């Protein structure tokens, strides 16, 4: 490991193989540079050209209108994303696999473009029959099964706005999201498979609906086959509704700026934000990024391990890939079921050529050992991708050598729920790779690194805040129901510029290295969680007086969660209580938010003005020496006492 760190300091650079480069869509640096220049200097020309590769019912009148923080793209144009994902391919790719599905128990299904088109059209008619109209919100709470993609595309086909909620979220998190969006219909399943267990999606849904009254109708997909309660008049089996649905459903022409979907993500307050994406810009940007960054070829089989409950699943399992007529593979379950070779067995079974996964997964693969991938034939792979958090060089080298056999380029793609698509990456046939560096801006993206006063940081390798200076097509348009929060959150620190919430550095070659969040957002196994969100879950427990949550480095998850908690009078610290609090957080948010450690303490370190000193808590949590100024602490003894509180 030390050796690898030393290697990193040498800033070793890896070239894409000559074979890869020769066959790549973009293979000359000059071409990237010319296109990049054009995309910034003549965005209208650049984006018009890209957009005209898609199908429009009515062409746009104007490419961009920018009144910070409000951007409008392809004004006046009308299109439908499901048309571009499905109908557009029927003549040339009707019998090509659109979705390859592998279930955890080993069942599999392949849906061709024809078949997917038919299923989506039928389900779109089902939704219409349930009273869903253009602009209505539909919440989708499903496992990673084809019906998740079908439901998303069916909403899009009729102009309903979907809000996919990750199946790992709890009933209460689901209820919050349904209520915020005021969804009319919920689409769920009897359950999903995870490590041989059933994820009780329908039971969670019923619990959520007790507190979420906007939902009038529920559609339930039969997946696991175990018995679930069905409420008469409200709950309907998917297969029963589909049996009589017509396969003829013309797509609704949507204005380019019509809402497409809402996706909730964590910010620095307790309440998740509903990030809103609109139709035209999101379609065009995910289409282009998928094509160039994954260097898509007609013969590729592409496998992204993300769940559709996250933005990666939206843009790079479903929409970006299907718009390009590609074959996308969905896997339902855990990577270690039935054993630690599952991902590699899927790659061998379907001759997967592109794999897109997260550093936290790569670190788990490393821990399980290279004997697992070595058992399988991975020679079909030609390109690897990483997303979700900074990839540490050790994981990068392992991925490069053990999985890619030093033959496959790696794209380390930086982006966010809010950006809709990949923003910073290398182009695989063009740019040399530097482990740990995401790379260069994609077309149309103008990043800058600034200090807290907004001045550009020009020294190579000096850190600062990462901002984006110009609008790009798939930029979020607002926070659902809270335009004021949209402006405050993203456009108030550096007026006119989008603030990412990340810190970054840029080297002399213009490569960006992402340093991680600079706000109170944790990145646990590539999932975003607000410290405040976990804190508010904790303080909703009757025993808790106050809670402060911090991250600490974790060898697999990237970041682990440590909660410092003070109790109300009458409650005393115990291991049982600590366990109960962990379970309480799981119930409030979901298993991804379970604190790794709870420290029940008598006081939190506060300044005289009452601010919790999180820096100190982070140092205590990671067992570091307490450094920096502690003179503003109200009670200097608190640090010593914190260090000696047992971690539970
Ligand atoms: C796509 C996605 C966004 C946050 C982002 C950043 C981190 C994502 C990264 C990365 C370093 C990468 N992040 N990709 N950090 N290198 N290649 O993950 O969206 O869930 O909204 O998270 O993830 O901190 O701000 P989202």
């Amino acid at each position: 490991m030390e050796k690898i760190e030393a290697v990193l300091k040498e800033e070793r650079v890896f070239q894409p193989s000559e074979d890869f480069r020769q066959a790549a869509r973009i293979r000359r640096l000059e071409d990237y540079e010319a296109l990049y220049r054009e995309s910034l200097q003549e965005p209208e020309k650049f984006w018009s050209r890209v957009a005209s590769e898609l199908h429009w019912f009515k062409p746009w009148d104007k490419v961009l209108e920018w009144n910070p923080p409000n951007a409008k793209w392809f004004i006046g144009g009308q299109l439908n994303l499901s048309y571009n994902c499905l109908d557009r391919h029927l003549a040339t790719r009707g019998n090509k696999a659109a979705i390859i599905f592998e279930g955890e128990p080993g069942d599999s299904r392949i849906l061709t473009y024809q078949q997917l088109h038919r299923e989506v059209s039928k389900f779109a008619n089902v939704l219409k029959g349930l009273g869903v109209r253009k602009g209505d919100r539909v919440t989708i709470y499903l496992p990673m099964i084809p019906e998740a993609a079908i439901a998303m595309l069916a909403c899009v086909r009729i102009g309903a706005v979907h809000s996919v909620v990750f199946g790992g979220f709890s009933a209460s998190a689901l209820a919050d999201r349904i209520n915020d969006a005021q969804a009319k219909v919920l689409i769920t399943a009897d359950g999903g498979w995870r490590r041989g267990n059933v994820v009780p999606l329908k039971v969670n849904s019923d619990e959520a609906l007790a507190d979420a009254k906007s939902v009038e109708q529920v559609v339930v997909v039969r997946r696991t086959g175990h018995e679930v309660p069905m409420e008469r008049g409200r709950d309907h089996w998917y297969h029963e509704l589909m049996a009589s649905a017509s396969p003829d459903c013309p797509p609704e022409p949507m204005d380019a700026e019509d809402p497409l979907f809402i996706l909730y993500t964590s910010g620095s307050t307790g309440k998740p934000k509903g990030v809103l994406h609109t139709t035209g810009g999101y379609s065009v940007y995910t289409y282009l990024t998928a094509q160039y960054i994954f260097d898509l070829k007609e013969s590729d089989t592409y496998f992204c391990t993300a769940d559709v409950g996250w933005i990666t699943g939206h843009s790079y399992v479903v929409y970006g890939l299907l718009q390009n007529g590609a074959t996308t593979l969905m896997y339902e379950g855990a990577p270690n079921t039935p054993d630690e070779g599952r991902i590699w067995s899927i790659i061998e079974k379907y001759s997967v050529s592109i794999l897109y996964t997260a550093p936290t997964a790569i670190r788990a693969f490393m821990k399980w050992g290279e004997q697992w991938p070595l058992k399988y034939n991975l020679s079909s792979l030609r390109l690897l991708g990483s997303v979700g958090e900074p990839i540490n060089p050790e994981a990068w080298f392992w991925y490069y050598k053990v999985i890619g056999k030093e033959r496959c380029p790696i794209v380390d793609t930086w982006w966010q729920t809010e950006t809709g698509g990949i923003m910073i990456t290398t182009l695989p046939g063009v740019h040399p790779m530097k482990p740990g560096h995401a790379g260069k801006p994609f077309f149309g993206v103008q990043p800058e690194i600034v200090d807290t006063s907004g001045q550009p940081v020009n020294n190579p390798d000096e850190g600062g805040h990462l901002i984006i200076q110009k609008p790009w097509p798939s930029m979020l348009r607002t926070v659902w129901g809270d335009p004021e929060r949209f402006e405050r959150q993203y456009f108030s620190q550096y007026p006119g510029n989008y603030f990412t919430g990340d810190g970054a550095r840029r080297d002399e070659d213009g490569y960006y290295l992402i340093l991680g969040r600079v706000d109170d957002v944790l990145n646990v196994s590539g999932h975003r969680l607000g410290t405040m969100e976990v804190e508010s879950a904790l303080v909703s427990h009757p025993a808790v007086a106050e809670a402060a949550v911090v991250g600490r480095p974790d060898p697999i998850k990237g970041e682990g969660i440590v909660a410092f908690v003070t109790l109300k009078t009458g409650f005393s610290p115990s291991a049982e209580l600590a366990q109960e609090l962990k379970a309480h957080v799981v119930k409030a948010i979901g298993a991804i938010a379970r604190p790794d450690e709870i420290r029940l303490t008598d006081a939190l370190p506060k300044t005289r003005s009452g601010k919790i000193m999180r820096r100190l808590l982070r140092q205590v949590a990671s067992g570091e020496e307490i450094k920096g100024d502690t003179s503003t602490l109200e009670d200097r003894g608190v640090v010593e006492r914190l260090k000696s509180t047992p971690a539970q």
Side-chain angles (χ1 to χ4, degrees):
M1 182 154 173
E2 265 168 42
K3 219 162 128 204
I4 286 168
E5 295 303 336
V7 165
L8 209 224
K9 289 199 188 87
E10 289 171 31
E11 302 253 310
R12 263 172 71 179
V13 166
F14 293 78
Q15 299 289 341
S17 72
E18 201 44 34
D19 281 357
F20 189 96
R21 209 179 58 79
Q22 287 297 337
R25 278 178 178 268
I26 304 188
R27 50 181 164 267
R28 299 184 335 158
L29 187 59
E30 307 88 270
D31 295 342
Y32 161 80
E33 280 170 353
L35 282 167
Y36 182 65
R37 218 174 304 119
E38 185 198 34
S39 73
L40 294 191
Q41 290 168 2
E42 297 173 275
E44 278 83 5
K45 186 169 157 216
F46 181 91
W47 290 114
S48 287
R49 196 170 59 232
V50 178
S52 37
E53 292 176 21
L54 296 173
H55 173 271
W56 295 74
F57 298 108
K58 179 172 169 284
W60 56 94
D61 307 314
K62 195 173 169 200
V63 173
L64 171 64
E65 222 175 74
W66 177 225
N67 298 308
N70 301 307
K72 286 186 180 164
W73 285 86
F74 308 109
I75 300 147
Q78 288 191 335
L79 74 168
N80 185 291
L81 177 53
S82 100
Y83 187 101
N84 279 311
C85 285
L86 302 169
D87 308 53
R88 202 164 67 90
H89 306 306
L90 292 181
T92 51
R93 300 183 175 110
N95 288 319
K96 178 178 176 175
I99 295 178
I100 298 178
F101 166 68
E102 170 95 355
E104 194 185 78
D107 56 323
S108 65
R109 265 162 79 189
I110 294 178
L111 284 142
T112 64
Y113 273 92
Q114 286 278 8
Q115 290 168 323
L116 185 60
H117 175 261
R118 189 179 158 86
E119 296 302 303
V120 168
S121 302
K122 282 170 72 175
F123 195 56
N125 281 327
V126 165
L127 291 175
K128 279 189 186 168
L130 294 174
V132 179
R133 298 284 170 267
K134 180 175 170 177
D136 287 347
R137 275 79 57 213
V138 171
T139 297
I140 299 175
Y141 184 59
L142 284 173
M144 269 299 273
I145 55 176
E147 286 76 9
I150 293 169
M152 291 161 74
L153 287 158
C155 288
V156 164
R157 198 162 186 87
I158 62 174
V161 179
H162 63 66
S163 159
V164 183
V165 177
F166 172 54
F169 277 121
S170 68
S172 116
L174 173 63
D176 289 347
R177 286 159 177 75
I178 293 174
N179 284 329
D180 188 81
Q182 286 293 295
K184 204 166 169 182
V185 167
L186 171 66
I187 303 163
T188 187
D190 52 358
W193 293 109
R194 187 82 192 167
R195 293 205 173 84
N197 300 317
V198 172
V199 184
L201 296 168
K202 177 65 167 68
V203 174
N204 290 350
S205 297
D206 288 339
E207 199 182 320
L209 293 184
D211 298 319
K213 299 295 178 202
S214 60
V215 169
E216 294 161 10
Q217 309 281 345
V218 180
V219 181
V220 186
V221 177
R222 182 172 278 162
R223 168 64 188 142
T224 56
H226 70 291
E227 215 169 302
V228 290
M230 296 289 282
E231 193 179 299
R232 268 186 92 96
R234 187 196 70 179
D235 300 352
H236 315 270
W237 285 107
Y238 177 91
H239 58 272
E240 288 177 3
L241 297 174
M242 288 291 269
S244 55
S246 152
D248 181 24
C249 181
E252 182 77 30
M254 301 296 287
D255 280 341
E257 282 301 335
D258 273 340
L260 180 66
F261 66 80
I262 304 169
L263 184 59
Y264 288 86
T265 189
S266 297
S268 42
T269 71
K271 194 170 164 261
K273 301 175 280 219
V275 165
L276 180 76
H277 284 288
T278 56
T279 306
Y282 177 86
S283 297
V284 170
Y285 196 78
T286 53
Y287 163 75
L288 189 72
T289 46
Q291 186 177 98
Y292 280 158
I293 298 165
F294 299 120
D295 188 46
L296 290 175
K297 304 278 160 52
E298 200 57 58
S299 57
D300 277 316
T301 299
Y302 165 97
F303 178 17
C304 167
T305 61
D307 191 282
V308 287
W310 311 110
I311 190 68
T312 305
H314 284 58
S315 304
Y316 303 113
V317 173
V318 182
Y319 295 126
L321 277 291
L322 296 181
Q323 282 190 98
N324 279 287
T327 298
T328 182
L329 194 152
M330 293 174 82
Y331 169 56
E332 175 188 29
N336 53 354
T337 304
D339 62 36
E340 285 75 4
R342 189 62 186 272
I343 298 296
W344 320 118
S345 94
I346 293 173
I347 291 172
E348 180 182 281
K349 180 171 171 188
Y350 298 103
S351 294
V352 168
S353 52
I354 303 169
L355 174 67
Y356 192 33
T357 191
T360 183
I362 297 167
R363 290 189 297 265
F365 300 146
M366 289 168 74
K367 189 178 87 177
W368 297 336
E370 61 182 44
Q371 71 275 17
W372 291 106
L374 292 181
K375 273 194 203 171
Y376 295 92
N377 179 355
L378 306 181
S379 61
S380 56
L381 285 173
R382 65 179 195 90
L383 175 61
L384 304 173
S386 172
V387 60
E389 52 178 318
I391 181 166
N392 49 311
E394 199 188 357
W396 195 97
F397 284 114
W398 190 90
Y399 200 28
Y400 190 64
K401 286 189 182 143
V402 180
I403 306 307
K405 319 287 183 204
E406 300 184 41
R407 195 172 36 77
C408 307
I410 296 180
V411 286
D412 173 2
T413 60
W414 175 86
W415 58 296
Q416 308 177 301
T417 305
E418 295 86 341
T419 68
I422 297 168
M423 302 288 278
I424 298 179
T425 177
T426 50
L427 279 187
V430 170
H431 293 120
M433 296 159 268
K434 299 184 186 185
H437 291 72
K440 307 278 274 186
F442 189 74
F443 304 131
V445 175
Q446 198 175 343
E448 184 56 277
I449 295 176
V450 293
D451 62 21
T452 44
S453 67
Q455 288 310 305
V457 172
N458 286 317
N459 277 348
D461 301 328
E462 200 182 313
H465 286 177
L466 179 64
I467 63 168
I468 312 289
Q469 294 182 307
K470 292 214 168 117
W472 62 100
S474 62
M475 180 176 104
L476 81 161
R477 297 299 194 265
T478 191
V479 170
W480 182 256
D482 200 347
E484 207 255 317
R485 185 169 177 198
F486 163 67
E487 178 151 15
R488 183 164 24 95
Q489 181 76 39
Y490 303 105
F491 287 92
S492 65
Q493 293 89 335
Y494 306 107
N497 299 290
Y498 169 81
F499 177 44
T500 62
D502 277 319
R505 290 197 317 237
R506 184 178 52 216
D507 71 9
E508 57 290 330
D509 298 325
Y511 276 53
Y512 287 80
L513 181 144
I514 310 298
L515 297 162
R517 303 290 305 194
V518 295
D519 51 11
D520 292 327
V521 171
L522 305 177
N523 192 327
V524 180
S525 301
H527 302 320
R528 269 166 75 168
L529 272 176
T531 49
M532 289 259 286
E533 221 175 313
V534 183
E535 287 163 7
S536 33
L538 284 164
V539 296
S540 72
H541 187 281
V544 174
E546 220 180 359
V549 166
V550 295
R552 75 155 175 221
D554 180 284
I556 303 286
K557 300 199 284 187
E559 216 166 9
I561 304 175
V562 178
F564 293 84
V565 172
T566 61
L567 298 175
K568 287 190 185 144
T569 327
F571 292 91
S572 40
S574 70
E576 292 71 50
L577 181 57
Q579 288 312 316
E580 192 181 317
L581 294 180
K582 287 184 189 178
H584 185 76
V585 174
V586 172
K587 191 145 174 51
I589 305 173
I592 54 168
R594 179 195 298 276
D596 294 275
E597 207 173 277
I598 292 207
R599 298 198 183 202
L600 300 171
T601 172
D602 67 339
L604 295 173
K606 290 194 186 162
T607 61
R608 287 188 198 101
S609 61
K611 279 217 174 75
I612 295 174
M613 290 181 77
R614 288 167 186 281
R615 171 175 55 85
L616 285 182
L617 291 177
R618 275 193 287 270
Q619 291 168 353
V620 172
S622 55
E624 284 170 29
E625 204 189 310
I626 306 297
K627 290 182 296 237
D629 185 17
T630 54
S631 60
T632 53
L633 267 184
E634 186 197 18
D635 166 9
R636 300 256 195 124
V638 74
V639 175
E640 283 314 309
R641 297 205 301 282
L642 274 175
K643 284 206 286 193
S644 59
T645 48
Q648 281 160 331

